Amino acid sequence: MTIHDLPAVNATLNGLSAVFLSLGFIFIKRGNKIAHRNCMISAFCTSVVFLACYVTYHTWVAMVLHHGPTRFVNPAWFRPIYLTILITHTILAITIVPMILITLNRARLQRFDLHKKIARWTWPLWMYVSVTGVVVYLLLYQIFPQQ
């Protein structure tokens, strides 16, 4: 594995986080609090590993290879769609971090009434960020690879 494999690793980690989030949602709806907790902790850990890999990759590309971020140029007709997905993904990825920490902390403190109130917002946003992370990878590296 090389540094150039990290975008695929990142997409895999995002996808895995989405799987854990989905399972966690199913488990809490079925009343299985232990399985829910385990899935949500797994989603958090997966997201933390993703963040470490993401920062490593982009730092390497910038500092060692002296390249900026990959630009989506072609096909030109799809660029506005890609940018809409990327911009919403990026804004929500930044927004979701404190929400995740607050949500997990409220569960840790067993403040489940407050946990549930914020989780109703945290879960769908976190899911969106996880899924769109995979979509961005697929668009940029697989479907419309940029030169």
Side-chain angles (χ1 to χ4, degrees), residues 9 32 34 43 47 54 56 127:
V9 169
N32 190 338
I34 301 299
S47 294
Y54 179 88
T56 298
M127 180 62 85

Side-chain angles (χ1 to χ4, degrees), residues 21 40 44 91-107 114-127 129:
L21 289 169
M40 301 317 281
F44 176 73
I91 290 169
L92 290 174
I94 294 165
T95 304
I96 198 67
V97 172
M99 292 177 72
I100 292 168
L101 295 174
I102 291 167
T103 305
L104 291 176
N105 192 51
R106 288 178 177 178
L114 295 174
H115 168 79
K116 189 174 180 179
K117 284 182 181 180
I118 193 170
R120 289 179 184 193
W121 294 95
T122 304
W123 186 87
L125 295 177
W126 192 358
M127 180 62 85
V129 168

Side-chain angles (χ1 to χ4, degrees), residues 1-53:
M1 186 165 101
T2 71
I3 195 79
H4 301 291
D5 296 319
L6 283 181
V9 169
N10 291 340
T12 302
L13 291 167
N14 268 323
L16 192 55
S17 180
V19 169
F20 286 131
L21 289 169
S22 297
L23 291 172
F25 182 83
I26 291 166
F27 285 131
I28 200 61
K29 289 298 181 188
R30 293 183 178 171
N32 190 338
K33 293 178 183 176
I34 301 299
H36 167 75
R37 180 197 67 204
N38 293 341
C39 284
M40 301 317 281
I41 290 170
S42 296
F44 176 73
C45 292
T46 304
S47 294
V48 168
V49 173
F50 158 80
L51 184 58
C53 290

